[in-house]
């Protein structure tokens, strides 16, 4: 399983919180690339509910990662 920003961005509008099956259904209905669906299918879960994309891909950058001091410009 591998994630990129482009692949993970396909799940930004997913109905969070969601189960693995709900995310696969969303990805299928929204026309996400096959890689997204394959990545979701590879997730090992025990009926777990995922709150955000960070639960699936912990390295997903947050808005704070792109924060810069606007006062400097």
């Amino acid at each position: 399983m591998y994630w990129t920003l482009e692949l993970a961005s396909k799940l930004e509008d997913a109905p969070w919180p969601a189960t693995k099956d709900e995310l696969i259904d969303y990805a299928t209905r929204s026309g996400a690339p096959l890689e997204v669906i394959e990545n979701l299918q590879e997730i090992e879960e025990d009926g777990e509910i995922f709150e955000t994309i960070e639960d699936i891909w912990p390295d997903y950058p947050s808005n704070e990662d792109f924060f810069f001091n606007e006062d400097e410009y």
Side-chain angles (χ1 to χ4, degrees), residues 15-23 43-56:
W16 301 103
T19 64
K20 174 183 170 179
D21 291 335
E22 290 171 336
L23 291 172
I43 294 173
E44 295 179 16
E45 51 92 23
D46 301 318
E48 185 176 351
I49 294 179
F50 301 100
E51 298 293 327
T52 64
I53 185 67
E54 287 88 0
D55 291 345
I56 295 171

